[in-house]
Amino acid sequence: MTSQEIRQKFLDFFKKKGHAVVPSASLIPENDPTTLFTGSGMQPMIPYLLGEKHPEGKRISDSQKCFRDVDIDEVGDNRHLTFFEMLGNWSLGDYFKREQLPWFFEFLTKELKLDPRRFYITAFRGNQEIGVDKDSESVEIWKQIFREAGVEAKDIDSAEKNGMKDGRIFYYDETKNWWSRSGSPSDMPVGEIGGLNSEVFYDLGADLKLHESSPFKDKPCHLNCDCGRFVELGNSVFIEFIKTEKGFNSLSQKNVDFGGGFERIVMVAQGEKSPFETDLFSNLIKKIEALSSRQYSDATKAMRIIADHIRAVSFIMGDDKGIIPSNLDQGYVVRRLIRRAIRYGRQLEIKQDLWTKEIAKEVIEDYKDVYPEMERNKEFVLNNLDEEETKFKKTLEKGLKEFEKMALRREPDKHGGVGVTHDQEELYGEDAFYLYQTYGFPPEMMEEMCKERGIEFDWNGFKTELKKHQELSRTASAGKFKSGLADTSEETKKLHTAAHLLLAALRKVLGDHVVQKGSNITAERLRFDFSHPEKMTDEQKQEVEKIVNEVIEKDLPVECQEMSLKEAKKQGAMGVFESKYGDKVKVYSIGDYSREICAGPHVERTGRLGHFKIIKEQSSSAGVRRIKAILE
Ligand code: ATP
Ligand code: MG
């Protein structure tokens, strides 16, 4: 079965079960400044899981393009990619566990004809402290499913300590089998929804001896062991709780969110040992073999990384949003992936100039029927690859030489003479920053190069240098702060501070579900997008204005503190809990009234703002409202 057929089979299967099949959302999230990329099928569905009506009904299915920067170091193993497709199906207040669990199993064993004995299951263990019982309902359903398939299915607890024995269904705690946007049950604010999940794993076989050769060999192998023997294929999340002051209550609308890794499902359906050996990657690997005159079997890791990275950037740049390699946000991720791929290409001694586009051409050819935007943006992708490759190759060789010198430094001996040459213990921050600025070496790439040499990479030193430099060139270079400010005039700063007051007031008046979805501030007005399912009433708008103006009149100081992300979260700061360079953030507080992670700048006291006025409140997109406001 080809991968195309498998994707189609999944969508057809759920269509037959009454689902509307919808196209993938963009890889670049709309109106969501909290994250750079769409990383799961659920992400674009959140408004509907929160109660917004989906135009296509209560049963939805799709294949969603996903990108996970956090998995980049895992690429090369037998199951992680940066870009992947997530097959999904959703019940928005319709069916629940009794349908969902048997359906996915039916798809795997009947449609894909996989052996039922290869599948293993996880379920939530239960936690008395939070008052949520173990997921006996799912376990009973699974037992019946396996019984009907003629497979014995015992449920076993604590396999991570005691081994799997002869179990089929395994209990894990909330770090594995609980879902909410904020993470574990204790991190969830009152009013947030969450639920249990149940995962399906596939056994690649003990004969592969993955466990024996892994760093985990002294511990028992179990489903969530990282050795790679068991691969998670899919995860059914059952959203059924809402957190209250007193604990968890049942929701009236219960939802199902299912996400399955397409490349992993193709890999087991095609009987392969990793996604890279499936037809999803075969053309790319063949191309890399041809370009490098090397064999996949003896350059596996490098070829996997190149294939993954060029495929990922082809999708990101191929996604109508016009993302190009740069030093900011998504563009920086693209740049980093391309440059890392080029460095691996150098290791493989690829001779051809401008070779990255040759691989992108294969990606586009393979996917253009399913994702027509790839064909539309083909020239854009290829040209940008050429440009970035040209740029980086100009400096790569020189930069590598410099790096060698810096990593292997001659130090004077005690008497001032020429001392011994020895490996540095680390690449100093200033040196790293020099390589970054002069030769365009992404810090993550240098960290990897340091690791290969067994030396440390001085992240803190690098960040300090970067900050110094940014402070100098801030206004000039970027022309735009991350916070969405167009300039730093006094008027703009005032409106920026007003935006913080506005968010706090909206949360007071409308509820804690309100989070910022985007903002754009000029010297004349502020535009502010936030999550809220319906039009605001006139009374609500007046109430918001009143609260903001009261805080302005109090003339409160606007204070800025630097702290760790963790601390900021603990203090209940609003904002983007993601950071590119380490985890120090700025938190701006206005009395007890507002606390936000933010890059600034702001005015010093609220008294400067004048009179706050909402001039428009309108819809921005599904589940997102937009306010335009001014200061008079
Ligand atoms: P894992 O623990 O294996 O990294 P996960 O718990 O991060 O998986 P989920 O967030 O539950 O995965 O995502 C749903 C499905 O998406 C997974 O069951 C898996 O099949 C797939 N998936 C997740 N991350 C990746 C990845 N980096 N590459 C390929 N497929 C992935
Ligand atoms: Mg993961």
Side-chain angles (χ1 to χ4, degrees), residues 139-153:
V139 172
E140 286 315 312
I141 295 168
W142 278 120
K143 284 188 171 176
Q144 191 185 339
I145 291 170
F146 280 108
R147 205 178 309 126
E148 282 165 13
V151 179
E152 201 194 354

Side-chain angles (χ1 to χ4, degrees), residues 267-520:
M267 140 191 172
V268 301
Q270 296 184 350
E272 298 296 350
K273 300 284 179 268
S274 95
F276 296 98
E277 280 100 58
T278 68
D279 67 346
L280 290 167
F281 279 90
S282 52
N283 290 336
L284 314 192
I285 299 290
K286 257 185 247 149
K287 189 50 121 193
I288 301 169
E289 285 186 322
L291 284 163
S292 66
S293 316
R294 299 275 296 271
Q295 296 290 317
Y296 174 65
S297 54
D298 52 55
T300 311
K301 188 177 171 206
M303 288 194 190
R304 286 181 178 184
I305 288 175
I306 293 171
D308 172 87
H309 288 11
I310 300 299
R311 176 171 172 266
V313 298
S314 304
F315 270 96
I316 298 171
M317 293 194 289
D319 194 337
D320 290 336
K321 294 284 166 88
I323 303 287
I324 58 168
S326 76
N327 281 335
L328 210 67
D329 299 340
Q330 288 94 351
Y332 176 67
V333 176
V334 170
R335 165 159 291 169
R336 187 151 69 78
L337 290 167
I338 298 173
R339 295 188 174 195
R340 187 169 187 236
I342 292 174
R343 193 173 76 90
Y344 275 95
R346 184 180 173 277
Q347 282 177 10
L348 295 185
E349 297 174 70
I350 295 179
K351 294 279 175 323
Q352 184 175 322
D353 197 26
L354 304 183
W355 56 269
T356 53
K357 69 160 177 267
E358 299 304 329
I359 297 164
K361 279 184 199 161
E362 300 289 337
V363 178
I364 294 166
E365 193 53 36
D366 284 350
Y367 282 97
K368 64 174 199 237
D369 293 337
V370 187
Y371 298 110
E373 65 272 22
M374 303 286 279
E375 178 72 21
R376 260 200 309 277
N377 298 313
K378 182 174 175 180
E379 288 312 308
F380 178 80
V381 174
L382 303 184
N383 290 342
N384 274 300
L385 276 169
D386 270 1
E387 206 168 293
E388 184 65 9
E389 191 174 338
T390 308
K391 219 181 255 173
F392 190 48
K393 278 187 175 161
K394 265 191 203 140
T395 60
L396 177 63
E397 293 307 320
K398 258 199 178 151
L400 288 173
K401 275 200 200 105
E402 285 288 323
F403 171 81
E404 286 309 318
K405 267 194 253 160
M406 288 167 174
L408 193 77
R409 187 166 287 179
R410 205 172 270 274
E411 298 233 320
D413 64 24
K414 277 191 197 116
H415 313 289
V418 176
V420 281
T421 305
H422 63 96
D423 267 359
Q424 291 276 102
E425 278 169 9
E426 65 175 7
L427 179 67
Y428 297 133
E430 302 94 89
D431 288 347
F433 184 73
Y434 175 77
L435 293 175
Y436 167 75
Q437 202 186 23
T438 314
Y439 302 107
F441 279 27
E444 293 84 356
M445 188 182 98
M446 291 189 270
E447 185 185 28
E448 185 176 24
M449 289 158 60
C450 285
K451 212 182 261 168
E452 288 164 6
R453 297 191 61 118
I455 65 177
E456 294 286 319
F457 179 72
D458 179 12
W459 264 111
N460 282 333
F462 175 78
K463 279 180 244 164
T464 311
E465 289 300 313
L466 184 72
K467 219 177 257 165
K468 259 197 245 165
H469 176 82
Q470 279 177 340
E471 235 114 83
L472 292 173
S473 64
R474 204 168 208 186
T475 24
S477 69
K480 176 173 165 290
F481 291 102
K482 229 187 153 261
S483 49
L485 295 193
D487 62 55
T488 54
S489 73
E490 192 61 15
E491 289 316 303
T492 311
K493 274 204 260 180
K494 283 187 197 168
L495 281 157
H496 187 200
T497 305
H500 282 217
L501 298 181
L502 172 61
L503 173 61
L506 286 168
R507 284 170 64 87
K508 264 209 176 122
V509 175
L510 303 176
D512 280 344
H513 61 278
V514 172
V515 292
Q516 179 173 344
K517 288 293 187 188
S519 78
N520 178 285

Side-chain angles (χ1 to χ4, degrees), residues 520-533:
N520 178 285
I521 299 172
T522 67
E524 287 79 38
R525 54 108 186 101
L526 74 84
R527 198 179 78 200
F528 191 82
D529 293 346
F530 60 97
S531 51
H532 185 55

Side-chain angles (χ1 to χ4, degrees), residues 71-82:
D71 285 342
I72 190 167
D73 292 326
E74 256 72 56
V75 174
D77 73 5
N78 67 354
R79 61 199 189 284
H80 286 97
L81 306 161
T82 57

Side-chain angles (χ1 to χ4, degrees), residues 68 71 79-81 84 86 232-235 259-261 264:
R68 290 193 183 178
D71 285 342
R79 61 199 189 284
H80 286 97
L81 306 161
F84 61 98
M86 203 184 282
E232 182 190 325
L233 295 188
N235 186 1
R264 294 185 187 182

